[in-house]
Amino acid sequence: MLHRIVGVTVRDVRFPTSSEQHGSDAMHSDPDYSAAYVVIDTDCGLKGFGLTFTLGKGTEIVVCAVEALAALVVGKSLQEIVNDFRGFYRLLTSDSQMRWLGPEKGVIHLATAAVLNAVWDLWAKAVGKVRALIVSCIDFRYITDVLTEEEALDMLEKAQEGKQQREEQMLKQGYPAYTTSCAWIGYSDQQLQQLCTDALKSGWTKFKVKVGADVEDDKRRCRLIRQMIGPNNTLMIDANQRWDVAEAIRWVSNLAEFKPLWIEEPTSPDDILGHAAISKALAPLGIGVATGEQCHNRVMFKQFLQASALQFVQIDSCRLGSVNENLAVLLMAHKFKVPVCPHAGGVGLCELVQHLILFDFICVSASLHNRMCEYVDHLHEHFASPVVIQDAHYMPPKDPGFSCEMLESSVKRHQFPEGEVWKMHK
Amino acid sequence: MLHRIVGVTVRDVRFPTSSEQHGSDAMHSDPDYSAAYVVIDTDCGLKGFGLTFTLGKGTEIVVCAVEALAALVVGKSLQEIVNDFRGFYRLLTSDSQMRWLGPEKGVIHLATAAVLNAVWDLWAKAVGKVRALIVSCIDFRYITDVLTEEEALDMLEKAQEGKQQREEQMLKQGYPAYTTSCAWIGYSDQQLQQLCTDALKSGWTKFKVKVGADVEDDKRRCRLIRQMIGPNNTLMIDANQRWDVAEAIRWVSNLAEFKPLWIEEPTSPDDILGHAAISKALAPLGIGVATGEQCHNRVMFKQFLQASALQFVQIDSCRLGSVNENLAVLLMAHKFKVPVCPHAGGVGLCELVQHLILFDFICVSASLHNRMCEYVDHLHEHFASPVVIQDAHYMPPKDPGFSCEMLESSVKRHQFPEGEVWKMHK
């Protein structure tokens, strides 16, 4: 079957998370976790579901961008797309007129991710399990100085060894996760303590704390968490781009006593050389730098790796150009021996990224050393196949597809501005 | 007068330039030069006009983004905005929910530029001539490791010397320009020869040629142009991001015999380290690297300068966040002693950027060494105060404002899709 694409619809779906300060951090005080949610219809009735994550206002801009890209997709067959997936990726990202709006960054790239996520979902559902020539999905443009197609093939070939055991290991134990749900910046100390107690009881051992608004607050909150989790559990801190370079080094040095494994997003996501300077300054304190949730494409990740500007690669399933671009980043990270610890949370990011991190372990890195995937315990109830967490591990998804199909009832209720939830909010 | 802003309207204006291959290059084969065109209305009747440049398809996405930003602008007074212009800039670029769509890049930043360009136009018209505390317009966030406010103040203070002479010099001679109009990639050799002949007659001495699609074509075209302009005139080449790093070095080495002053956009606009490698490799050939028209913000320019990745800074009046962010880049370029040669052309870019380059010469760099501003001879007839070119120099604009007010008749005719021009095109 060709699965010809006969329609692409996109909806603006928003959850009023800001009302309870879920997701709040030093730069995003009131996010309403949202998505531009894409459904691809085919002539055989099969559907592909995809999304990109947003924070509320402006989601309509991404919706508009998806509608612009849809013109490039409708009429194509799935077969045609996956037979030259690299070409299709290039078609979406390098349209002679639209690339000016990026290229491969911001709204247009978020929209590309949403569309491509839906294509991957469709593909997986059409064939049960995608067995692709991985390199044929990757656009190597602009990264051949670090990774060529031949090198990628070679890396994937080498990782064949032990693949089946790793697959079995994942099916049994799952992929290690850490939690960000305990310590959003808008939570009170009491709330933080309660959530941390609950998380410890549920088996969590790795905890992320939002910092960066006020250093004394940060000290108090980090002390509190460190006391609760003890010296052997893992603490990470996340400033969400709050600082300039020198400020980042000073501020994090002030928090070094709490032994964070990493400082996440210390400064502008564009500042490769700034992150390199911060990495260098913090290395003697045993603190690594993590970034990536707003790293907009493979060219940026390439440079972060070249410049030793990060020690943890935080890929995002909706900021990069879907699986295609994430594959390139996973392979480059492996080449530089830097662990990948994906960004998740938001709306559907956990559902999407679990596929990528399982692929990384089973088919690329073959290592769990210093690796873990973010987990946030919100909004999973809106998905048809929500992630399954057992003992602080992501258990491999069982249903075919890319796991980001939302319940139609949830979509309807949360559509902005006409859904029931937003009518009540007015 | 407070000049309270009572409305922001934005229109999708497109010119069918692709039909004659104007603007064609190795990556953009069929651009329809377009703009998201903004008009700010105030309670006293004064209007501000601004725009951002686009290539046709997708302009509606930028229009949608301007509409989202408008909510942050309407109701404010001009006085309130310019009294804390840095704060207003931050308001537009760091909205807690919308910054996720960038931050400060892509569609949302193009929209920010369009809105801010209109604010600057309004300001200039309200006061006749803006006498601002320059540094108070700049958001120094993320660049203080290279430029602090104190340093900026000091640089501007030092440049006071000779300011009046330079102003007089500009009024008399204008600012040196180069032309890109002769050698778009889609033009035939005959057309190229004719245009070059005409340009030489009009006093042009600096010529840019589009390259990157086919090396033999490039050689033929460069040879042709070099023969026509002779050894003493200046030739620049522009690949519009066509190559990977190693490919760029090889290709440009192949064209070295034609003695180009610079290779423009050899690779991805995001690849700072790639540009650094290319700069290093081409330096022995006497060829510099120029880039910037798709360099999305001050943080990227900061790193291009830190890494010695470019020898010519090509600011853009509509890609960076208007005057505010361009001021930061002009000052950083001056600190690193790298000449600024703005990107222009498109729709209204020449009109806008002439203000910036005059400011650079009169108030910052005080030098014309290796400096020139791009000029493209299309679409000026649609503007209320089009640029004046005399003997290949930009003559200082005389009308108050930011010079990007379009003729209402032109806007109406070219509005997409309902304008007369587009109805005929269908």
Side-chain angles (χ1 to χ4, degrees):
Chain A
M1 264 213 291
L2 290 172
H3 302 289
R4 189 162 301 282
I5 294 172
V6 294
V8 174
T9 56
V10 53
R11 286 178 286 177
D12 181 337
V13 184
R14 307 190 191 186
F15 298 90
T17 47
S18 63
S19 60
E20 298 181 53
Q21 292 279 293
H22 303 324
S24 58
D25 63 50
M27 292 290 272
H28 311 91
S29 52
D30 61 347
D32 284 327
Y33 279 4
S34 306
Y37 179 61
V38 173
V39 183
I40 289 180
D41 281 296
T42 62
D43 57 358
C44 62
L46 199 68
K47 289 173 191 288
F49 300 89
L51 60 80
T52 193
F53 170 57
T54 52
L55 296 188
K57 269 196 283 177
T59 306
E60 74 279 10
I61 310 168
V62 185
V63 165
C64 183
V66 169
E67 284 165 350
L69 291 173
L72 304 171
V73 180
V74 173
K76 292 227 163 9
S77 74
L78 176 64
Q79 205 55 55
E80 188 182 343
I81 290 171
V82 303
N83 280 350
D84 178 21
F85 213 153
R86 183 186 297 167
F88 183 70
Y89 183 88
R90 186 79 68 94
L91 178 80
L92 295 190
T93 56
S94 296
D95 176 86
S96 166
Q97 298 194 347
M98 280 196 284
R99 74 184 297 282
W100 186 263
L101 307 178
E104 296 183 77
K105 62 176 66 73
V107 166
I108 196 79
H109 211 47
L110 291 168
T112 301
V115 170
L116 286 172
N117 282 341
V119 171
W120 278 91
D121 184 62
L122 180 67
W123 192 12
K125 282 176 177 154
V127 297
K129 189 171 180 180
V130 169
R131 295 191 186 280
L133 182 59
I134 296 300
V135 294
S136 75
C137 302
I138 300 174
D139 187 352
F140 287 90
R141 175 174 267 179
Y142 302 141
I143 58 170
T144 55
D145 49 336
V146 150
L147 182 75
T148 62
E149 186 166 348
E150 298 66 41
E151 226 174 332
L153 272 170
D154 193 46
M155 283 162 69
L156 289 162
E157 181 57 36
K158 279 198 183 121
Q160 286 292 319
E161 200 192 316
K163 202 171 143 184
Q164 205 185 328
Q165 287 127 280
R166 291 195 294 279
E167 205 170 318
E168 283 159 18
Q169 182 186 345
M170 285 296 107
L171 285 168
K172 218 169 123 192
Q173 302 166 5
Y175 196 94
Y178 72 86
T179 178
T180 308
S181 292
C182 297
W184 296 108
I185 219 161
Y187 284 3
S188 68
D189 286 6
Q190 199 191 350
Q191 200 172 359
L192 192 149
Q193 263 173 309
Q194 184 58 53
L195 289 166
C196 201
T197 306
D198 296 348
L200 284 163
K201 272 190 204 144
S202 308
W204 292 95
T205 59
K206 304 177 183 83
F207 300 82
K208 193 160 81 186
V209 180
K210 296 286 178 177
V211 299
D214 178 282
V215 71
E216 292 308 321
D217 276 351
D218 290 352
K219 281 186 188 169
R220 197 186 69 251
R221 290 155 49 85
C222 286
R223 183 170 295 120
L224 195 67
I225 298 265
R226 183 47 93 190
Q227 276 168 356
M228 293 192 67
I229 68 175
N232 296 326
N233 283 325
T234 305
L235 176 74
M236 289 87 73
I237 55 175
D238 184 356
N240 291 87
Q241 313 169 19
R242 184 57 184 256
W243 306 309
D244 281 22
V245 175
E247 193 182 11
I249 295 168
R250 271 199 313 274
W251 197 304
V252 177
S253 301
N254 261 313
L255 302 176
E257 59 177 304
F258 308 111
K259 306 273 178 214
L261 175 66
W262 75 51
I263 171 64
E264 181 170 332
E265 290 205 307
T267 189
S268 163
D270 294 335
D271 198 351
I272 299 151
L273 301 180
H275 280 83
I278 296 166
S279 289
K280 204 172 166 191
L282 295 181
L285 301 174
I287 304 170
V289 168
T291 193
E293 72 184 64
Q294 294 196 19
C295 182
H296 55 261
N297 62 31
R298 67 196 177 284
V299 184
M300 295 300 286
F301 270 117
K302 177 186 79 167
Q303 296 173 84
F304 272 102
L305 290 163
Q306 286 175 306
S308 305
L310 43 60
Q311 288 70 52
F312 301 91
V313 166
Q314 299 183 302
I315 55 167
D316 184 291
S317 53
C318 296
R319 171 87 51 188
L320 292 176
S322 187
V323 179
N324 310 71
E325 195 166 31
N326 269 292
L327 291 172
V329 176
L330 293 179
L331 289 163
M332 288 194 290
H334 182 54
K335 176 165 173 178
F336 281 90
K337 299 190 173 58
V338 177
V340 174
C341 300
H343 171 242
V347 179
L349 298 183
C350 299
E351 278 70 17
L352 286 162
V353 91
Q354 61 181 333
H355 296 267
L356 300 173
I357 201 66
L358 286 168
F359 175 82
D360 182 59
F361 176 65
I362 296 169
C363 302
V364 181
S365 75
S367 164
L368 292 178
H369 180 66
N370 259 340
R371 282 165 168 87
M372 51 186 152
C373 186
E374 184 167 22
Y375 179 70
V376 181
D377 192 15
H378 299 305
L379 306 175
H380 301 290
E381 66 275 21
H382 301 294
F383 287 82
S385 303
V387 286
V388 177
I389 299 288
Q390 270 177 25
D391 198 25
H393 283 68
Y394 276 86
M395 299 311 293
K398 296 225 165 65
D399 300 327
F402 206 178
S403 313
C404 63
E405 178 179 349
M406 292 174 77
L407 301 175
E408 189 54 30
S409 56
S410 290
V411 174
K412 283 223 172 90
R413 272 173 59 79
H414 294 90
Q415 257 187 276
F416 186 87
E418 66 275 29
E420 206 179 303
V421 165
W422 291 104
K423 274 192 188 144
M424 290 180 345
H425 255 255
K426 270 180 188 162
Chain B
M1 262 213 291
L2 291 172
H3 302 290
R4 189 163 301 281
I5 295 171
V6 294
V8 174
T9 55
V10 53
R11 285 178 287 176
D12 181 338
V13 183
R14 307 189 189 184
F15 299 89
T17 47
S18 64
S19 60
E20 297 181 54
Q21 291 281 294
H22 303 324
S24 58
D25 63 50
M27 293 290 272
H28 311 91
S29 52
D30 61 346
D32 285 328
Y33 279 3
S34 307
Y37 179 62
V38 173
V39 183
I40 289 180
D41 281 296
T42 63
D43 56 359
C44 60
L46 200 67
K47 289 172 191 287
F49 300 89
L51 60 79
T52 193
F53 170 58
T54 52
L55 295 188
K57 269 197 284 177
T59 307
E60 75 278 9
I61 310 169
V62 185
V63 165
C64 183
V66 169
E67 284 166 351
L69 291 174
L72 303 171
V73 181
V74 173
K76 292 226 164 9
S77 73
L78 176 64
Q79 205 54 56
E80 189 183 344
I81 290 171
V82 302
N83 280 350
D84 179 21
F85 213 155
R86 182 186 298 167
F88 184 70
Y89 184 88
R90 186 80 68 92
L91 178 79
L92 295 190
T93 55
S94 297
D95 176 86
S96 165
Q97 298 193 348
M98 279 196 284
R99 76 184 297 283
W100 186 263
L101 307 178
E104 296 181 76
K105 62 176 67 74
V107 167
I108 195 80
H109 210 46
L110 292 167
T112 301
V115 170
L116 286 173
N117 282 341
V119 170
W120 278 91
D121 184 61
L122 179 67
W123 192 11
K125 283 176 177 155
V127 298
K129 187 169 180 179
V130 169
R131 295 193 185 278
L133 182 59
I134 297 298
V135 293
S136 74
C137 301
I138 300 174
D139 188 351
F140 286 90
R141 176 174 265 178
Y142 302 141
I143 58 170
T144 56
D145 49 336
V146 151
L147 184 74
T148 62
E149 186 167 348
E150 297 67 40
E151 225 173 333
L153 272 169
D154 192 47
M155 284 161 69
L156 289 163
E157 182 57 35
K158 280 199 182 118
Q160 287 292 319
E161 201 191 317
K163 203 170 142 184
Q164 207 186 325
Q165 287 127 278
R166 292 194 294 277
E167 207 170 316
E168 283 159 17
Q169 183 185 344
M170 285 298 106
L171 285 167
K172 216 169 122 191
Q173 303 169 4
Y175 195 95
Y178 72 86
T179 177
T180 308
S181 291
C182 298
W184 296 108
I185 220 160
Y187 284 2
S188 68
D189 286 4
Q190 198 191 353
Q191 199 172 0
L192 192 148
Q193 264 174 307
Q194 184 58 52
L195 289 165
C196 201
T197 306
D198 296 347
L200 283 163
K201 273 191 205 146
S202 308
W204 292 94
T205 58
K206 306 178 182 83
F207 301 82
K208 194 160 80 184
V209 180
K210 297 286 178 177
V211 298
D214 178 283
V215 73
E216 293 309 320
D217 276 350
D218 291 352
K219 281 187 190 169
R220 196 188 68 251
R221 290 154 50 84
C222 285
R223 183 170 296 119
L224 194 66
I225 298 265
R226 180 49 90 192
Q227 278 167 355
M228 294 193 64
I229 69 174
N232 295 326
N233 282 326
T234 305
L235 175 74
M236 289 88 72
I237 54 175
D238 184 357
N240 292 85
Q241 314 169 19
R242 184 58 184 256
W243 306 309
D244 282 21
V245 175
E247 193 182 10
I249 295 168
R250 271 199 314 273
W251 198 303
V252 178
S253 301
N254 261 314
L255 303 177
E257 59 177 302
F258 308 110
K259 305 274 178 213
L261 174 66
W262 75 50
I263 171 63
E264 181 171 331
E265 290 205 304
T267 188
S268 163
D270 294 336
D271 199 351
I272 298 150
L273 301 179
H275 280 82
I278 295 166
S279 290
K280 205 173 164 189
L282 296 181
L285 301 174
I287 304 170
V289 168
T291 193
E293 74 185 61
Q294 293 196 21
C295 181
H296 56 262
N297 62 32
R298 67 197 177 284
V299 183
M300 296 299 287
F301 270 116
K302 177 185 78 168
Q303 296 172 83
F304 272 100
L305 291 164
Q306 287 175 306
S308 305
L310 42 60
Q311 288 70 53
F312 300 91
V313 166
Q314 299 183 303
I315 54 167
D316 183 291
S317 54
C318 296
R319 170 91 46 193
L320 291 176
S322 186
V323 180
N324 310 71
E325 196 166 32
N326 270 293
L327 291 172
V329 176
L330 293 179
L331 289 163
M332 288 193 291
H334 182 55
K335 177 166 174 176
F336 281 90
K337 300 189 173 58
V338 177
V340 174
C341 299
H343 171 242
V347 179
L349 298 182
C350 300
E351 278 70 17
L352 286 161
V353 91
Q354 61 180 336
H355 296 268
L356 299 173
I357 201 66
L358 286 168
F359 175 82
D360 182 58
F361 176 64
I362 296 168
C363 302
V364 181
S365 75
S367 166
L368 292 179
H369 179 66
N370 258 341
R371 283 166 169 86
M372 51 187 153
C373 186
E374 184 167 21
Y375 178 70
V376 182
D377 193 17
H378 299 305
L379 307 176
H380 301 289
E381 67 276 21
H382 300 294
F383 286 82
S385 302
V387 287
V388 177
I389 298 288
Q390 271 179 23
D391 198 25
H393 285 67
Y394 276 88
M395 299 312 291
K398 296 224 165 67
D399 300 326
F402 206 177
S403 312
C404 63
E405 178 177 351
M406 293 175 75
L407 300 175
E408 188 54 30
S409 56
S410 290
V411 174
K412 282 223 174 89
R413 273 173 57 78
H414 293 90
Q415 257 188 272
F416 186 88
E418 67 275 28
E420 207 179 302
V421 166
W422 292 104
K423 274 192 190 144
M424 291 178 347
H425 254 257
K426 269 178 192 165

